[in-house]
Amino acid sequence: MTPESDLTVKVIGAMMGTGKTTHIHKWLNQQSTAIDSFIYVTPTLDEIQRVKEACPDLNFVDPFPKDGSKLNSLNQYISESRNIATTHSLFTTAN
């Protein structure tokens, strides 16, 4: 796992319809070998599927109910440094 001092968070903010999602998908695909792992946080489940389809080589995983909770699989994926696509709602509960 990467030390916290090496973590980078990028936030992209702009009006709807200006190409934010398309831009981030292109950027993710370009960075796929330069960065260890990504956590893609989005408001909707539909957007999780969209990033998985737009970035197939990154093998994004989305949390599934494990032992009764998606949080358990999210925490496992984080500890494994997997590329994760998740919702804002679930991400705010991560350990």
Side-chain angles (χ1 to χ4, degrees), residues 2 9-10 12 14 18 21-22 25 38 43 47 50 52-54 56 61 63-64 76-78 91:
T2 305
V9 174
K10 298 220 180 232
I12 298 173
T18 58
T21 302
T22 301
H25 292 169
F38 299 102
E47 286 299 312
R50 186 174 171 193
K52 289 170 74 174
E53 291 172 2
V61 293
F64 64 94
Q76 178 181 339
Y77 291 153
I78 290 171
F91 187 72

Side-chain angles (χ1 to χ4, degrees), residues 2-94:
T2 305
E4 288 183 25
S5 61
D6 292 342
L7 297 178
T8 301
V9 174
K10 298 220 180 232
V11 177
I12 298 173
M15 297 295 293
M16 293 184 306
T18 58
K20 295 180 301 293
T21 302
T22 301
H23 170 77
I24 195 66
H25 292 169
K26 287 179 184 177
W27 184 85
L28 286 167
N29 284 316
Q30 292 169 351
Q31 302 300 316
S32 64
T33 58
I35 298 176
D36 291 335
S37 60
F38 299 102
I39 300 177
Y40 187 90
V41 182
T42 184
T44 67
L45 294 171
D46 288 342
E47 286 299 312
I48 290 172
Q49 189 59 37
R50 186 174 171 193
V51 72
K52 289 170 74 174
E53 291 172 2
C55 306
D57 293 340
L58 292 172
N59 299 312
F60 275 99
V61 293
D62 55 302
F64 64 94
K66 178 181 178 186
D67 301 325
S69 173
K70 286 185 176 183
L71 179 58
N72 292 330
S73 65
L74 174 62
N75 289 328
Q76 178 181 339
Y77 291 153
I78 290 171
S79 71
E80 295 170 349
S81 297
R82 304 277 302 268
N83 289 329
I84 304 164
T86 188
T87 61
H88 292 150
S89 178
L90 181 59
F91 187 72
T92 60
T93 65

